[in-house]
């Protein structure tokens, strides 16, 4: 592996940093809105699933307690 001098390394880092394409303000806002929407939908979905399975477990426990 070839050794790189600190100056050459800094120059390479600057060259690579110059290739970065940052998102526009609109792209950032759209991505943020999509993330908020998706996490809200998933939160509601998992809340529903948790409620459903919680009701099943309560029913099974009450059923088992009635059989004793």
């Amino acid at each position: 592996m070839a050794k790189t001098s600190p100056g050459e390394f800094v120059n390479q880092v600057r060259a690579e940093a110059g290739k970065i394409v940052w998102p526009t303000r609109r792209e950032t806002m759209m991505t943020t809105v999509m993330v908020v929407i998706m996490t809200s939908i998933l939160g509601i979905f998992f809340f529903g699933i948790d409620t459903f399975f919680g009701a099943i477990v309560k029913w099974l426990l009450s059923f088992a307690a009635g059989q004793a």
Side-chain angles (χ1 to χ4, degrees):
M1 180 161 67
K3 296 217 176 199
T4 305
S5 69
E8 186 179 343
F9 175 75
V10 170
N11 288 336
Q12 290 176 357
V13 169
R14 284 186 180 154
E16 290 299 319
K19 296 177 185 177
I20 296 172
V21 179
W22 295 100
T24 63
R25 183 177 199 89
R26 185 174 191 280
E27 290 171 335
T28 303
M29 290 304 296
M30 290 299 291
T31 304
T32 302
V33 168
M34 291 304 295
V35 167
V36 169
I37 290 171
M38 290 304 295
T39 53
S40 298
I41 290 171
L42 284 172
I44 292 167
F45 172 76
F46 286 120
F47 175 76
I49 294 296
D50 184 54
T51 302
F52 175 72
F53 283 117
I56 290 174
V57 168
K58 281 184 182 181
W59 178 77
L60 288 173
L61 289 174
S62 67
F63 181 72
Q67 297 291 330

